[in-house]
Structures are given as structure tokens and as C-alpha cells.
Amino acid sequence: MKRYHVNQIKTSKIGILTILIVTFVLVSSKGNCEEKVSFIRELKSGIEKPVDIAVSSSGDVYILDESTAKISVFTSEGVLKVAFGEKGSQLGQMYKPKTIALTREGDVVVADTGNNRVQVFRPSGEVLYELGNEGSVPGQFKSPSNVAIDMLGYIYVVDDKTNKILKFSPHGAFLSEKQIEETPKDIVFDKEQSMYLLFNESGRIVKYPQGSDDAIDITNVENGYNPLYYAVALDVDERGDIYIIESNKNKIVKLDQDGKALFSFGSRGEGRGQFDLPENITAASKDKILIADARNKRVQMMQVSGSNKTSLHPVQYITPVLDYDSSIYAGENIVDIRFVKKKGLYSLSDTNGKILLKGENKSLIAKADENVLGMNGPKTIYVYNDGKMIIADTGNNRIQFLNEDGTSQYSFGKKGNNTSEFNSPQGVAVSKDGYIYVSDTKNHRIQVFSEEGIYLNSFGRLTETIGESGAEPGTFFLPKDIEFDDKDQLYVLDYKNRRIQVFDKDGKVLRVIGSVLDEVEFKEPVDFTLDENGYLYIADKGTNKIYILDDKGKYVMEFGSAGKGPSYFPNLTSIESNDGKIYVSDYMADSIKVFSFDPNVKEKEERVFMTRVFPVVNLKSSTEEIKRKMTQNMALKRIQQEVSELYNVDIDGVESIIKVESEEVLSDGNISITISVPKMIADKNIDQLSKK
């Protein structure tokens, strides 16, 4: 459900609903009095049925009310600032919302369970966007019940009815889903980026350490009794201790990482530290917890003190490998887009032949029904660096050459299957030496022309047979988009054969991407593009996804879905990339979606990070520089020893797997060092721990 862990909440002696702090000691069943719980205050103004709580970095408390479908925001002193939301199914309205979380930027993410979606609001209450809609395909929901946000800002949604956990980028691009055997009652992340799932049906908490798919079970059984069977919520504090709500006893239980009960408190009632149907718990800092006390129509804020454990080391923040960036208005029925440096983004509409350029200013270049172009269902636009254009005028079975201002230069072609004739041409590309290649789609071939449009040659033929490894290389079944890479190799989207073939300029097949033997199989690929690093981006209308392959053809990632949100692609048409940005057009949308993508971040995601802080060596006769260097050397040796013991690696081999990510002199003079180890090394250790 929840929750971005934030700074300590400030308290005050004054303010609405502020109550004098009364401290009372609560002991565990073993009589351990080390930890104490203090009642701070209750928040209840306008609250009917609180079901979840989140706390911002400034200490504001967000309370989700299922009964009124409202979110109430209180200051850390208990003063109501604002309330927003209402019952309904329209955007901004909610029906039986269950959980809430806050993004790194402070936006509010709500599991709008009754409407089978997730909604995202600004802190002021303005709705930003929705994620998902009712359905069973990836990116859609049957019953989204829990939301959580990890330390890097990624959004996770648990779907009760499908037993899936869906992952979205920090700004809502759908990335992936994970199928699990049992429905988790709650989901939360700790500061080290470990994920915790509460499975009360089997009486356990499952922990997935950072970057690992290997699970560690945490259970608590004493004298045949397991409180996790009755747990309805959990959270993890900054020290790594786990809080659960034991609903049958209206009690809060604190566990360590081994599942050992540290202490507990609570009983049924209306007093301080008493509860009636507690729904959720949030560890806002290492000293404060907040409990949604549903039937008492309040949230109780408590302070827990007495632990001498050190805080967890927060994971190093890295920017998302992919995220939604922005939208560019382009009009209706966009079928192709092209980005040209120093010019901007060109978009082509097939219904009216409109060409729109979005550079420093938005500019309408051409429109078929307002000039002599007479385009009929054009499918492709190619733009030279000087702004001149080539249009595949598909419905007219011809190729049109346009000036930079959109006026006609000349055209050639007619319907037929002879040379220089076309049957639904749908792709145009220009080689480095200026030759023009046209995908003659329904003639199942590629034709090659000079810069003036003079026919030179052609290659390809209709695929006749499909073997175990797919269609015969060099044959086509409706070739569409084509593009050259920086090596002057021609990529051809072989639409019905669901693959991309790569040729040299003479038509010789070099390789095939997307065959039945490859890592990625396409369902209905409609467009692709290449970036300056050789990465390949494929728009697959059949899966509503964008697939990304590296310069060697290896699968990197995918994003997009048929579920609503920033990566909602119900009818993909085109894709373009430039300088770390991916541009995607959809026939059903009037805007081009822009996504940021940094493949270098993907490499970081394959490593596990560790940060440690060390005091500077105190040598009176040494300079500050010598002290700093000695501290760094000593610190690195200690980290190497820790890694050796933690990951069962021989000390002599540690240096080869450790990468020093950063070294920083803090304001107090101490040295902070962040290192990383390969994820596979960490996974081996997790696997060993899980077997113990």
C-alpha cells in the first residue's frame, strides 16, 4: 500500500487536535521493557472510515477515507489543510478506494478499487491521470487493492482478483507484471529497496531483497500461534523492523527481520492506544507510527522509542531507465512521425494529408484538401535534413516530393506491378549516397530509385512457405516501414511475417530479428526506428507495447499497454527516437507521447548498491588530504571484508566484483562511500539465505 518513507514528523504543544503526549510502557510477552510507546495525537476532523495513511517529506499526513471517497490532508501538528475527492466514476472521483501512496514529487497515488483503476492527484487535489481500466490484459485491472512506491519512485499495484503485481514507471508508464500464487494482503518497500509482501492466508511475510527474484520467508510462530494469519497490514520502519496489525486482537505487533516479536500493544476500545477495526499502519519515521483506526473514525499517531538499532542504509537513487516525459499535440489520425535535428518533429495524418512540424513553434506545413497535393491515405513521411520531404501517397500508389514549405516538387508512380509502379507503397528510406528505397507493400518487394526518382532495381518476393524457423529470409509478406542505420544497412518491417529483416544496399539478407528462434516474438509490428546508438524500437500494435533491443539485437525492455495511462496504446501507428527521447503516435490519440530512455541506467539496475559512512582518521601531524586518503583506503578495506562475508566471496576475489560508485566528504567531515556488486552475486547469497 504505501508509502514513501519520509523525514520525522514534527510535533507541537499547540494546534487543533493536539493532545499532550502521554507515555506508557508496553511490554512483550517475555517482559522486555526496552521499547516504549507514547500517544501523540489523533486526527479525526471529517473522517468517517480511514483505510490508509501516507506522510509527505514535510510531515503532512494524507488520510484516505473509503466511506466518503475523500483524501484529507493534515499538518504534522494535526491541523486540517485540505480535503478532496468524492464518490463517483468520473476522473477525479473514487469508489471504495483502498490504499494510498506518495510519489517522490509528492503526488498522491490512490487505488480506486471500485472503479478498477489507479488515480494520481497533485497534493492540492487536481487529478493528473489514471492508470488502468477493467480488463485482464497487461496494464488492466480486475480489483486493484494495494499501491506502493519504492525508493526509486516506481509504482506497484496489487490486483486482488488476478494475483498480479503490476509495475509502472514513476510517471505512469506500464512496464511489467508479476504473477504470484497467493494474493498479498499488503505490499511495502524498505529504505534498502527490499519488497515485502504480506500473505495472511499462509501466515507469512515474504521479502524480496533489492533487485532479486529470490524470496526470504519471515514467519512468527510461538506456542503454535501465528499472528500473521490475522495480519491485515504491515510496514517497515527505518531500522528494518516490521509492524503488523493483528486484527483479531486489535493489536500492533513489532517484529524483527527473523520474525521474532519485539513487543506489542493495543486492545479493543476507544481510548489511547486502543483500536476498533484498525485497517492500516504507516511507519513515518523510525520513531513514529500512524494507525488507521477505522470504526473509531480516526488516525492515531504514536511514538515508539527505546530501540538502539542503527538505521538501514538507503539505496542509491538512480533515474528511471524509462519514464513518461510529456505529450505533443499533433492532431487526429497520425500515421507516421519523423524527428529531424535542428528542425523538430514532423507528423503525418492519413485522413487529410496534414503535415505538422513541432519545433520551436508549431507549424502546419501542408494539408491535402487546401492545395494541389491531393494525397489519399498517405502512410509514410521521410524528411531530409534541409526540410524537404518524400511522402508515400499510399492510396494514390505514388511517391510525392515536397519542398520545405510543403509545396509540391514532383511525383511519380501509378498502380501496377511493373517497375516504377506500386501497389500500396508504405515505406520510404534514403541511403547515404542518396538512393531512394520504397517498400512496395502489396507487391511484396523493395524498389530502388535514384535521387530524381529513376528506377534502378528491386529485390524481394512474396513468401510462399513458412518452415519451423519461420518464413524464408529475403521474402516478404507486406513489407512496410524501412530505415537505414549508420552502417547503411537497410531494416525492413516484414509485417505479416512479424519480423524485421536487415539487408545490405544490394538486397542481400544480413540477419532477421523477431523470428521464432529469437528472444522476442512480435504479434503485429507496425513500425520501428533506430537511434544514434543502434538501439532498435519496435511498435507492436498486437500487444500494445514498445519493444527495445540493443545494438546487438538483444532484448532490453518493453513498455506500454491497453490499460489507460501515459503509455496507453490502443492503436499504435508510429515510433521515432532522438537524443534519449522516444516519440510514440497512436491513431486514437491527438497527441504524441514522449518518453525518456537511458540505456546506461539499465546497467545500474543489474547491480546492487551499498553505502557506508566512516569517520575521518584522526592523525594530528597529518594534513587533511592525507587523513582523507587514509580514511578512504581503510573504509574500502572494511567494505571489501563486509562484502566477502555477506556474499560468501573469497577476500582475494572481492576487488574484482566491487565497483566504487561514489566517494563524498560529508558536511560533518565524515566520508561516504557507495559501492556496487553484480546482481547475480547478490542473488546467490539470497538463495543461500532462503535455504537456511
Side-chain angles (χ1 to χ4, degrees):
M1 254 135 263
K2 12 221 191 223
R3 232 118 27 205
Y4 178 61
H5 295 290
V6 292
N7 297 329
Q8 180 173 332
I9 300 175
K10 298 178 181 179
T11 58
S12 166
K13 292 183 179 179
I14 60 175
I16 296 175
L17 298 177
T18 301
I19 301 173
L20 292 176
I21 298 176
V22 179
T23 301
F24 47 99
V25 177
L26 296 126
V27 300
S28 71
S29 58
K30 295 186 177 181
N32 189 336
C33 297
E34 292 180 355
E35 302 210 37
K36 297 184 294 184
V37 177
S38 302
F39 176 83
I40 300 175
R41 64 173 57 85
E42 62 180 25
L43 310 174
K44 63 186 305 180
S45 178
I47 302 299
E48 291 294 324
K49 186 182 178 182
V51 290
D52 201 11
I53 323 109
V55 183
S56 73
S57 58
S58 64
D60 286 345
V61 180
Y62 290 71
I63 300 175
L64 178 63
D65 193 320
E66 181 184 36
S67 179
T68 62
K70 286 184 179 293
I71 297 168
S72 298
V73 186
F74 292 82
T75 67
S76 58
E77 288 79 26
V79 179
L80 179 64
K81 292 176 64 175
V82 66
F84 57 88
E86 61 180 348
K87 288 184 180 180
S89 59
Q90 300 299 312
L91 196 62
Q93 297 177 329
M94 294 173 280
Y95 182 61
K96 294 184 178 180
K98 294 296 184 183
T99 55
I100 189 174
L102 300 181
T103 69
R104 292 178 61 89
E105 297 167 343
D107 294 329
V108 186
V109 182
V110 183
D112 186 8
T113 308
N115 288 320
N116 290 303
R117 64 183 176 186
V118 170
Q119 293 197 72
V120 182
F121 300 84
R122 294 194 189 279
S124 60
E126 176 190 354
V127 65
L128 291 174
Y129 55 87
E130 60 183 334
L131 297 176
N133 49 273
E134 186 173 5
S136 56
V137 301
Q140 295 181 329
F141 303 118
K142 288 290 188 180
S143 179
S145 58
N146 284 280
V147 292
I149 296 177
D150 69 16
M151 296 302 292
L152 301 181
Y154 289 92
I155 301 169
Y156 296 77
V157 183
V158 174
D159 193 319
D160 270 354
K161 291 186 178 179
T162 62
N163 285 2
K164 291 180 179 179
I165 300 176
L166 291 78
K167 182 179 179 180
F168 298 82
S169 75
H171 293 102
F174 175 72
L175 301 177
S176 62
E177 64 180 24
K178 179 184 180 70
Q179 185 73 54
I180 47 181
E181 294 181 0
E182 182 183 344
T183 301
K185 189 67 177 177
D186 204 354
I187 176 174
V188 69
F189 289 83
D190 68 19
K191 289 177 63 177
E192 293 182 340
Q193 190 66 355
S194 295
M195 180 173 70
Y196 298 75
L197 300 176
L198 171 61
F199 295 108
N200 56 4
E201 290 182 8
S202 55
R204 63 195 174 114
I205 296 169
V206 175
K207 175 182 178 180
Y208 292 91
Q210 177 201 351
S212 175
D213 291 327
D214 293 317
I216 299 174
D217 278 1
I218 300 173
T219 58
N220 175 265
V221 180
E222 292 187 12
N223 300 320
Y225 178 77
N226 183 354
L228 293 175
Y229 281 116
Y230 307 96
V232 295
L234 88 159
D235 204 2
V236 181
D237 68 16
E238 290 187 348
R239 295 184 176 95
D241 288 332
I242 303 167
Y243 289 89
I244 64 168
I245 293 178
E246 191 179 349
S247 62
N248 63 322
K249 296 182 179 181
N250 288 284
K251 187 167 68 172
I252 308 301
V253 182
K254 185 177 183 180
L255 310 173
D256 65 15
Q257 287 285 314
D258 295 322
K260 177 184 176 182
L262 301 176
F263 78 94
S264 63
F265 70 92
S267 60
R268 186 173 182 178
E270 299 178 357
R272 298 172 180 178
Q274 293 184 316
F275 311 99
D276 192 356
L277 192 65
E279 289 274 1
N280 237 308
I281 185 166
T282 294
S285 73
K286 62 185 177 183
D287 291 323
K288 292 183 176 62
I289 58 173
L290 293 92
I291 302 99
D293 189 5
R295 284 183 183 159
N296 285 327
K297 301 181 180 182
R298 65 182 178 178
V299 167
Q300 294 194 61
M301 184 186 295
M302 319 289 287
Q303 181 169 348
V304 180
S305 59
S307 176
N308 58 4
K309 290 182 180 179
T310 59
S311 294
L312 300 175
H313 297 284
V315 67
Q316 182 191 37
Y317 177 74
I318 54 176
T319 56
V321 61
L322 182 137
D323 202 2
Y324 170 73
D325 182 275
S326 58
S327 295
I328 300 174
Y329 176 77
E332 300 176 341
N333 309 132
I334 301 302
V335 291
D336 200 19
I337 53 178
R338 296 285 173 176
F339 190 94
V340 179
K341 290 184 178 181
K342 298 183 180 180
K343 292 290 183 181
L345 184 68
Y346 292 76
S347 61
L348 173 68
S349 170
D350 72 342
T351 54
N352 53 24
K354 183 173 68 175
I355 301 171
L356 192 68
L357 168 61
K358 180 64 173 66
E360 293 183 0
N361 297 298
K362 189 164 59 180
S363 172
L364 180 64
I365 294 178
K367 193 172 181 181
D369 57 6
E370 293 178 356
N371 53 48
V372 297
L373 296 179
M375 286 190 283
N376 179 16
K379 296 298 182 186
T380 296
I381 179 172
Y382 178 87
V383 185
Y384 290 93
N385 291 333
D386 62 1
K388 293 180 180 178
M389 295 164 278
I390 305 176
I391 307 294
D393 189 359
T394 308
N396 289 321
N397 295 293
R398 63 180 177 179
I399 301 299
Q400 290 209 50
F401 292 77
L402 307 183
N403 295 310
E404 185 179 3
D405 61 0
T407 57
S408 179
Q409 213 177 61
Y410 68 96
S411 64
F412 70 90
K414 63 178 181 178
K415 186 170 184 178
N417 57 14
N418 294 317
T419 59
S420 297
E421 295 179 344
F422 305 106
N423 189 356
S424 188
Q426 297 186 35
V428 176
V430 178
S431 66
K432 288 182 178 180
D433 48 14
Y435 293 122
I436 300 168
Y437 289 66
V438 178
S439 60
D440 188 4
T441 302
K442 291 187 178 179
N443 283 326
H444 314 288
R445 64 184 178 182
I446 305 298
Q447 295 198 62
V448 186
F449 303 87
S450 70
E451 294 179 70
E452 293 79 22
I454 300 172
Y455 173 81
L456 299 175
N457 57 58
S458 62
F459 60 89
R461 57 179 173 81
L462 175 63
T463 300
E464 295 179 351
T465 59
I466 297 178
E468 293 182 359
S469 59
E472 180 186 353
T475 65
F476 299 116
F477 193 172
L478 301 180
K480 291 191 174 184
D481 187 39
I482 55 178
E483 187 172 332
F484 281 97
D485 65 11
D486 60 358
K487 299 176 183 177
D488 231 13
Q489 296 176 341
L490 182 67
Y491 287 63
V492 180
L493 175 63
D494 191 2
Y495 174 62
K496 282 292 186 178
N497 285 326
R498 299 186 293 184
R499 63 183 181 178
I500 294 172
Q501 298 191 70
V502 186
F503 299 83
D504 65 15
K505 291 189 297 182
D506 298 323
K508 179 183 177 182
V509 179
L510 301 176
R511 61 191 176 109
V512 178
I513 301 169
S515 71
V516 294
L517 302 177
D518 283 354
E519 187 178 3
V520 178
E521 286 189 59
F522 308 122
K523 187 174 181 180
E524 189 182 353
V526 293
D527 197 25
F528 73 91
T529 190
L530 294 154
D531 70 12
E532 55 272 22
N533 299 312
Y535 276 64
L536 179 63
Y537 307 81
I538 303 99
D540 193 326
K541 179 180 174 182
T543 60
N544 313 101
K545 291 178 180 290
I546 305 298
Y547 296 95
I548 304 177
L549 310 182
D550 67 14
D551 57 345
K552 298 178 178 60
K554 182 180 178 182
Y555 172 84
V556 175
M557 67 177 300
E558 62 195 62
F559 70 97
S561 74
K564 291 183 179 179
S567 62
Y568 175 48
F569 304 137
N571 195 350
L572 279 167
T573 54
S574 186
I575 185 168
E576 182 65 296
S577 67
N578 178 72
D579 195 24
K581 293 288 191 293
I582 304 172
Y583 303 85
V584 183
S585 68
D586 189 284
Y587 201 75
M588 306 298 291
D590 61 4
S591 295
I592 295 166
K593 300 291 183 64
V594 186
F595 300 85
S596 60
F597 173 67
D598 184 355
N600 295 322
V601 174
K602 191 67 177 177
E603 296 178 9
K604 291 185 177 181
E605 289 185 342
E606 297 301 319
R607 302 184 70 85
V608 175
F609 292 80
M610 177 189 299
T611 300
R612 298 292 182 264
V613 177
F614 299 89
V616 176
V617 174
N618 186 15
L619 294 176
K620 295 182 180 179
S621 59
S622 300
T623 65
E624 292 301 319
E625 180 66 18
I626 291 176
K627 291 180 184 179
R628 185 178 65 82
K629 288 184 177 180
M630 291 184 66
T631 302
Q632 288 173 326
N633 291 335
M634 176 198 70
L636 191 56
K637 287 182 179 180
R638 287 188 182 179
I639 291 176
Q640 289 175 345
Q641 183 65 41
E642 182 179 351
V643 169
S644 173
E645 295 173 359
L646 182 62
Y647 297 128
N648 301 313
V649 178
D650 188 84
I651 190 66
D652 295 330
V654 167
E655 190 173 350
S656 63
I657 67 170
I658 283 182
K659 179 180 178 182
V660 178
E661 299 287 345
S662 66
E663 296 182 12
E664 180 184 2
V665 180
L666 304 178
S667 58
D668 59 6
N670 292 336
I671 304 293
S672 173
I673 297 180
T674 297
I675 63 98
S676 67
V677 298
K679 179 176 174 288
M680 64 178 188
I681 298 294
D683 280 349
K684 289 181 180 178
N685 179 66
I686 298 304
D687 185 56
Q688 291 171 355
L689 288 175
S690 63
K691 292 177 181 178
K692 289 183 180 180

